[in-house]
Amino acid sequence: MIQNLDLFPVGNCAASGLIDRQGRIVWGCVPRVDGDPFFSTLLSDRDPGAEDVQGLWAIEAEDLAHVRQSYLRNTPIVRTELTDKKGDTLEILDFCPRYRQFGRVYRPTAFIRLVRPISGTPRIRIRLRPTVNWGEAPARRTTGSNHIRYVGGPATMRLTTNCPVSHITEERLFRLEEPIAMFLGPDEGFDADVAATTSRMLNETRDYWRNWVRTLSVPLEWQEAVIRAAITLKLCAYEETGAIVAALTTSIPEHAESGRNWDYRYCWLRDAYYVVQALTRLGAADMLENYLGYLRNLVDKEKGGHVQPVYGVGLEPGLVERIAHALPGYRGMGPVRIGNQAHEHLQHDVYGQIILSTVQAFFDERLLRPATVEDFRALEPVGERAYELHATPDASLWEFRGREAIHTYSAVMCWAACDRLGNAAVQLGLLERAKYWNDRAQEMRETIESRAYNEKLGRFAATFDGEELDASLLQLVDVRFVPASDPRMKATIEAVEKGLRRGPYMLRYAIPDDFGEPKTAFNICTFWLIEALHLSGRGDEARDLFEEMLTRRTAAGLLSEDISFDGNELWGNYPQTYSLVGLINCATLLSKPWAAVR
């Protein structure tokens, strides 16, 4: 079976893993999302069913005939049903425990697998083969009467189970006559009945997620798609610090043999801004509040100086890019990268994203910690940096590695930083500061309109004094720089669509970059086009295109970063927060109002 991205994520905002359509865990890192892949098969060139494959956790039925797989409703708990050729059936429930306990959220770096026979007596084999040091070797193993320890990597993991340990270590076929519970977590004693305890954890985890979903303000239409996207965005949070990663994977190429293989297991301030923007629209204030803590720590750390576009989930600034040579890569398409050179880039839009993420806290009375005058004062140096840099070259949001220019999107986001500081100052009653920031925003607006608008072409350009197109120009409407009804913006939308649309889907840009011409479409850009079509009066076209994008999701209801021009294959890291943000925003924008059913 060829590797693909038709995968079901599980997680608890500390641990995360990806499960394939045969019920095998093929990806999962410890002790954090950006750690060593304990399960690494996704980045191998091997069929996960091969006898000698490493880096997975498989529960296999002998003579498998049929598989059914889905999430339990409104949870990230995966149910896989395996049926053999005799009709004997078993069920696997996969989840990472998460629920409130002792006045805090219990979310260990742990994976739970519950296996039970449904009909007949299926024969199964359990293959638990973790790797260490980025696939260099199998984890060393020690055993006890009811546990197996896996050592040699950055975190020792312990499996506690009521299954005979030798069934697992010997990988022997055996009859599944009674339920099996397996808890793979920290190297600690499990001083309780593993079957009863994991069953309780299942119920409490299920209840936690269903209660969280009940707090969301979902649109009338496409609720199942929106809920699944929202749950998965929450799985991309590293709750201990408030960071939000761009995806759960590294090095899934943007297209076949492209070399465009990046590590997305870090917190891009831009991506995180879009995530909290989308979830705030759904009422998920907990995600916003936790991320704001991450931002406050970051702003304090940088003391008004240069802000990187990306940091580690523990606020680490150094994400030195290197190659993991032991892993051949997704379908053998290496390299497998650890770290991301973008931490060295100048990307000036980040100053806007810090303030746009934070400004709601000056107005939102739901928050446990509303923003204060002191928070405003701490943000003002960020605004000063935005003003200072708004008309200077950077690598753009697309992170070009071989060229710089003054990018319109970056300049507009810097403008938005100063504009929103003016709004916050008014809310706080700091009228002199409001005038200061509004004056700066107006000055920046005049510069952008004179240099980003191309009079000859009658539209905005992607760079100052240039002619280039890129899809980020569609965001000028979202940040309220120019309304969709403005003739300049209408012409820009038409030009972007004509120049970058390939069938239903949108490119980021069409010009060659450091790796040649793009050969796949970028999913968030298609969602940006959908928003622009709707706001410019082309509502029916927008709905049709949105429905098209929904058909391209995996069985789990999710999207990666990129899609082939024919729509038949997803590429890029998965699940991609950008893409899920686009789904939520478009559903919210396009849906009929709730009043339609009242």
Side-chain angles (χ1 to χ4, degrees):
M1 183 189 77
I2 190 169
Q3 292 276 17
N4 61 58
L5 296 179
D6 198 3
L7 305 168
F8 282 72
V10 292
N12 62 4
C13 306
S16 59
L18 298 176
I19 299 172
D20 74 5
R21 295 306 304 278
Q22 304 292 310
R24 299 175 289 225
I25 302 180
V26 296
W27 182 255
C29 299
V30 298
R32 305 191 316 193
V33 63
D34 58 352
D36 188 15
F38 198 73
F39 303 115
S40 58
T41 303
L42 182 64
L43 295 185
S44 78
D45 56 357
R46 304 302 310 281
D47 182 333
E51 281 297 320
D52 60 347
V53 72
Q54 296 292 327
L56 85 170
W57 189 357
I59 300 169
E60 301 167 339
E62 185 182 34
D63 296 327
L64 179 66
H66 181 65
V67 181
R68 296 175 59 190
Q69 196 171 40
S70 63
Y71 281 114
L72 299 191
R73 179 177 175 269
N74 292 355
T75 77
I77 301 169
V78 178
R79 181 182 184 274
T80 304
E81 189 176 282
L82 306 179
T83 302
D84 65 23
K85 293 177 181 178
K86 297 181 298 180
D88 296 346
T89 301
L90 65 104
E91 170 193 76
I92 308 167
L93 291 173
D94 281 293
F95 66 102
C96 298
R98 179 182 174 88
Y99 49 87
R100 292 201 64 81
Q101 177 175 271
F102 307 131
R104 58 186 181 271
V105 176
Y106 175 69
R107 43 170 168 72
T109 303
F111 304 88
I112 296 176
R113 312 201 77 181
L114 305 180
V115 187
R116 69 181 183 94
I118 294 177
S119 63
T121 52
R123 282 163 53 84
I124 70 168
R125 174 185 287 114
I126 299 173
R127 293 192 295 159
L128 178 48
R129 298 177 174 181
T131 55
V132 297
N133 299 328
W134 286 87
E136 287 185 357
R140 297 195 312 275
R141 194 173 65 194
T142 66
T143 61
S145 57
N146 296 104
H147 73 263
I148 308 170
R149 297 172 68 248
Y150 296 92
V151 300
T156 296
M157 299 288 281
R158 178 189 293 236
L159 177 76
T160 303
T161 182
N162 61 351
C163 176
V165 167
S166 66
H167 282 2
I168 299 173
T169 58
E170 299 299 323
E171 297 184 358
R172 66 171 62 102
L173 274 169
F174 65 94
R175 289 165 60 96
L176 181 66
E177 297 178 333
E178 296 181 347
I180 291 173
M182 292 178 283
F183 181 98
L184 178 66
D187 187 23
E188 303 167 354
F190 197 98
D191 299 325
D193 182 318
V194 66
T197 302
T198 53
S199 179
R200 174 183 61 81
M201 289 177 170
L202 170 68
N203 293 334
E204 296 200 29
T205 299
R206 178 199 61 207
D207 292 347
Y208 169 85
W209 285 104
R210 289 181 176 172
N211 284 322
W212 183 77
V213 168
R214 288 181 63 211
T215 70
L216 301 180
S217 299
V218 296
L220 175 62
E221 299 181 87
W222 307 297
Q223 288 183 38
E224 185 176 353
V226 168
I227 289 169
R228 181 54 50 201
I231 288 172
T232 307
L233 289 179
K234 189 171 175 68
L235 295 186
C236 290
Y238 184 70
E239 194 168 61
E240 183 170 293
T241 62
I244 300 169
V245 299
L248 298 178
T249 60
T250 176
S251 303
I252 308 298
E254 293 181 15
H255 59 82
E257 305 294 357
S258 66
R260 301 172 188 260
N261 301 19
W262 316 118
D263 191 348
Y264 276 10
R265 302 167 306 144
Y266 307 110
C267 184
W268 270 261
L269 303 187
R270 177 187 314 113
D271 300 55
Y273 154 67
Y274 281 112
V275 170
V276 297
Q277 178 198 55
L279 290 180
T280 299
R281 286 173 176 167
L282 298 180
D286 60 331
M287 287 282 290
L288 169 64
E289 193 144 33
N290 208 31
Y291 178 60
L292 291 182
Y294 183 86
L295 280 185
R296 285 193 295 270
N297 282 309
L298 178 61
V299 169
D300 286 351
K301 184 175 185 292
E302 301 301 351
K303 302 184 186 303
H306 168 66
V307 175
Q308 298 175 187
V310 57
Y311 291 83
V313 297
L315 291 161
E316 298 88 357
L319 305 175
V320 178
E321 194 171 292
R322 62 194 192 278
I323 304 299
H325 295 285
L327 288 174
Y330 180 75
R331 299 187 191 168
M333 299 176 190
V336 171
R337 288 188 170 93
I338 310 165
N340 199 297
Q341 189 196 16
H343 78 279
E344 301 175 356
H345 289 184
L346 300 177
Q347 295 177 30
H348 300 328
D349 58 303
V350 298
Y351 300 102
Q353 274 116 24
I354 288 172
I355 291 174
L356 287 170
S357 296
T358 304
V359 72
Q360 180 166 332
F362 293 98
F363 296 86
D364 195 335
E365 292 294 335
R366 297 174 302 163
L367 301 183
L368 297 174
R369 187 195 179 282
T372 64
V373 171
E374 290 74 21
D375 294 327
F376 177 81
R377 300 293 187 198
L379 282 176
E380 286 195 290
V382 179
E384 294 290 0
R385 290 284 291 177
Y387 174 76
E388 174 189 347
L389 297 171
H390 77 279
T392 62
D394 74 349
S396 96
L397 81 161
W398 306 128
E399 301 183 343
F400 295 124
R401 295 191 172 203
R403 66 175 185 264
E404 288 189 341
I406 304 174
H407 291 96
T408 300
Y409 175 85
S410 297
V412 168
M413 293 304 289
C414 287
W415 162 84
C418 296
D419 178 74
R420 303 314 196 266
L421 278 175
N423 294 347
V426 170
Q427 176 70 6
L428 293 169
L430 304 175
L431 300 185
E432 289 186 6
R433 300 311 296 165
K435 183 178 186 307
Y436 177 86
W437 289 112
N438 288 336
D439 287 348
R440 292 215 148 175
Q442 182 58 32
E443 178 187 342
M444 295 161 75
R445 171 180 282 280
E446 291 170 3
T447 299
I448 295 167
E449 290 189 339
S450 67
R451 298 192 62 187
Y453 184 72
N454 186 307
E455 291 281 357
K456 181 178 71 173
L457 298 176
R459 60 165 174 82
F460 288 99
T463 59
F464 277 20
D465 309 316
E467 298 183 357
E468 299 96 334
L469 287 171
D470 83 44
S472 66
L473 289 170
L474 300 174
Q475 287 290 281
L476 270 59
V477 175
D478 187 69
V479 297
R480 304 199 304 273
F481 185 79
V482 61
S485 59
D486 188 307
R488 298 173 301 171
M489 195 63 214
K490 284 188 173 181
T492 302
I493 293 170
E494 291 174 3
V496 168
E497 182 180 12
K498 181 178 179 181
L500 301 182
R501 188 167 179 174
R502 301 292 185 271
Y505 314 119
M506 287 286 290
L507 299 174
R508 291 167 289 184
Y509 46 82
I511 58 175
D513 59 17
D514 318 310
F515 292 82
E517 292 187 6
K519 295 183 180 179
T520 48
F522 204 70
N523 288 323
I524 183 62
C525 297
T526 304
F527 287 117
W528 286 349
L529 176 64
I530 292 167
E531 292 177 335
L533 292 175
H534 175 81
L535 294 171
S536 58
R538 298 164 62 185
D540 289 344
E541 292 177 66
R543 287 181 70 92
D544 289 345
L545 186 50
F546 182 62
E547 293 284 1
E548 161 67 22
M549 288 301 292
L550 292 181
T551 68
R552 302 305 173 181
R553 294 174 298 153
T554 62
L558 305 174
L559 290 163
S560 65
E561 183 179 45
D562 307 275
I563 192 168
S564 59
F565 292 154
D566 62 9
N568 290 333
E569 186 159 16
L570 293 174
W571 291 91
N573 283 304
Y574 175 89
Q576 174 71 13
T577 55
Y578 258 168
S579 302
L580 302 181
V581 161
L583 187 159
I584 290 171
N585 287 344
C586 287
T588 303
L589 185 67
L590 300 178
S591 175
K592 298 173 185 175
W594 277 97
V597 296
R598 291 178 183 146

